Amino acid sequence: MPRPPSKRAELSNDKDHSGSSESEEESFSNSESGAEDGEESSEELQTVQADFAFFDPKPSDFHGVRLLLKTYLDSKPWDLTGFVDLILAQTTVGTVVKLADDEEEGEGTGGQKTSDGGNDDDDLFGLISMLNLGRYAEHRCIKDLKEYLLAVCSDKDTKRQLKSLLEEKASSVGLLVCRRFVNFPYELVPKLYDALFDEISWATEDEPTQELRDSFRFKHYLLLVRMLERKTPAKHKAKNSKDDDDEPIIYPKLEDEIFNELSSWSFTFPIRSEQSPQQEMKNYREMGLVMAVKAEAIPKFRKKLEALVSE
């Protein structure tokens, strides 16, 4: 399969670069002091020109990746450190997004996905990876993850399908992990997924052993994400009203709605979030969403995502 000369994507964007520590899936929640400090914080924010670039994950990204994943299993105690280590160790398939280093913008580097980002992990804005549930089955973090997913699934038939993916079919199941901070430019989202699925395709040919090549031949993808579900039915609204407060479901990450549409099955479960919802989100409850998507649906997903972002 022909390889392009680069896998790096860059976007110059006027962003509100305030160093937010909330992921997109947490952006609807507020800290206790948020209301009191809002006026003071707004005075400190400034709009800057930000260049984002894709990089291979590396050990120094540990704290930034851990911050993005801190609520991945809600408040459950689990081996988060081990999970982060797995993601960072798998450089063949996986990407972290940081602010581009001006020193790397010189001749011969533009457009390349770089193995050394030149930035510390404080500049990490997003990550995407795919972990084979069979390959890493004996790791404590994957055992914790499986235990958690089975515990939160209440429907008997769905749990049977979930257990099948987690156990006998695990060697062909990829856990798709994508987390981003709220100031991540949505224009980069399709490129982030393109990078992931292109790398998966390349890994089936380029990995040094047949076992490793086969570990990226996925038949199913499993996703664990967040959504907002309206607590009570929306009041009657004007025909042309598009207020978010009237939507029965809100997806903090726009691509998750597409995944849900294309999923073979899915289920939701309540999140034990300790954060207080923002005033405009008071009529919604935070829910976990687990989805199973067949690999054959990914080309359609990529087209739908590109079309959605282009609107």
Side-chain angles (χ1 to χ4, degrees):
M1 181 181 296
R3 308 288 192 274
S6 92
K7 291 187 287 179
R8 175 169 174 176
E10 295 183 3
L11 177 69
S12 295
N13 218 23
D14 287 325
K15 295 300 295 180
D16 197 11
H17 185 197
S18 56
S20 171
S21 62
E22 288 185 330
S23 70
E24 280 189 312
E25 293 174 311
E26 298 170 316
S27 62
F28 42 79
S29 299
N30 231 350
S31 64
E32 293 179 0
S33 60
E36 299 174 1
D37 299 339
E39 183 176 348
E40 179 181 348
S41 298
S42 63
E43 294 176 357
E44 298 175 356
L45 301 181
Q46 55 180 333
T47 300
V48 297
Q49 184 76 12
D51 296 323
F52 295 86
F54 291 0
F55 300 95
D56 289 325
K58 55 188 175 67
S60 63
D61 295 323
F62 178 85
H63 294 292
V65 172
R66 197 179 196 282
L67 185 62
L68 281 165
L69 292 167
K70 67 179 181 178
T71 60
Y72 188 64
L73 295 192
D74 196 11
S75 57
K76 173 183 171 62
W78 70 300
D79 186 16
L80 174 57
T81 295
F83 192 64
V84 174
D85 286 341
L86 284 185
I87 290 174
L88 296 180
Q90 184 179 275
T91 57
T92 305
V93 173
T95 297
V96 295
V97 183
K98 305 179 184 181
L99 292 179
D101 190 334
D102 290 340
E103 294 181 1
E104 295 180 15
E105 299 300 320
E107 184 177 355
T109 62
Q112 295 182 352
K113 179 177 173 181
T114 310
S115 58
D116 183 1
N119 298 290
D120 59 35
D121 56 21
D122 290 337
D123 289 331
L124 196 150
F125 283 79
L127 75 93
I128 194 166
S129 189
M130 187 77 73
L131 300 177
N132 184 299
L133 292 179
R135 176 181 175 183
Y136 300 115
E138 296 307 311
H139 289 255
R140 180 71 259 170
C141 59
I142 299 301
K143 291 181 178 180
D144 290 344
L145 171 74
K146 293 178 179 179
E147 180 183 290
Y148 174 79
L149 293 177
L150 290 170
V152 297
C153 183
S154 59
D155 181 77
K156 187 176 181 180
D157 290 337
T158 304
K159 181 176 286 191
R160 175 180 52 80
Q161 296 180 82
L162 172 63
K163 191 172 183 180
S164 176
L165 291 186
L166 296 178
E167 296 178 358
E168 58 262 31
K169 295 181 180 178
S171 61
S172 62
V173 177
L175 178 69
L176 200 167
V177 181
C178 183
R179 306 279 282 191
R180 309 187 292 270
F181 286 133
V182 294
N183 44 1
F184 187 93
Y186 72 90
E187 297 94 336
L188 269 183
V189 174
K191 294 181 175 63
L192 195 60
Y193 280 95
D194 285 345
L196 176 72
F197 291 115
D198 285 349
E199 286 183 333
I200 290 173
S201 178
W202 299 334
T204 63
E205 300 180 4
D206 296 344
E207 285 291 83
T209 67
Q210 188 63 47
E211 182 180 6
L212 285 175
R213 290 192 290 271
D214 289 344
S215 72
F216 290 102
R217 301 184 193 279
F218 299 111
K219 295 181 180 178
H220 305 274
Y221 298 116
L222 195 65
L223 296 90
L224 169 61
V225 301
R226 303 285 181 92
M227 57 175 274
L228 290 175
E229 182 180 77
R230 190 174 175 85
K231 296 178 181 178
T232 56
K235 297 179 181 179
H236 179 74
K237 62 178 182 177
K239 184 176 181 179
N240 295 326
S241 174
K242 294 183 179 180
D243 292 342
D244 284 345
D245 194 45
D246 291 318
E247 295 295 332
I249 294 175
I250 296 176
Y251 295 90
K253 300 210 316 291
L254 74 170
E255 71 270 23
D256 290 338
E257 182 173 8
I258 303 175
F259 275 129
N260 205 7
E261 291 173 357
L262 299 176
S263 65
S264 304
W265 53 263
S266 65
F267 69 89
T268 61
F269 60 93
I271 290 292
R272 295 186 176 90
S273 176
E274 297 180 359
Q275 294 177 311
S276 302
Q278 293 179 347
Q279 180 64 22
E280 60 268 26
M281 293 290 120
K282 67 182 185 301
N283 293 325
Y284 289 86
R285 64 169 67 90
E286 185 180 7
M287 301 289 288
L289 171 63
V290 176
M291 300 175 282
V293 180
K294 291 183 178 179
E296 62 194 43
I298 295 305
K300 183 179 292 186
F301 163 78
R302 294 170 73 168
K303 289 181 180 179
K304 283 179 171 285
L305 180 59
E306 184 63 46
L308 180 62
V309 173
S310 299
E311 288 180 355

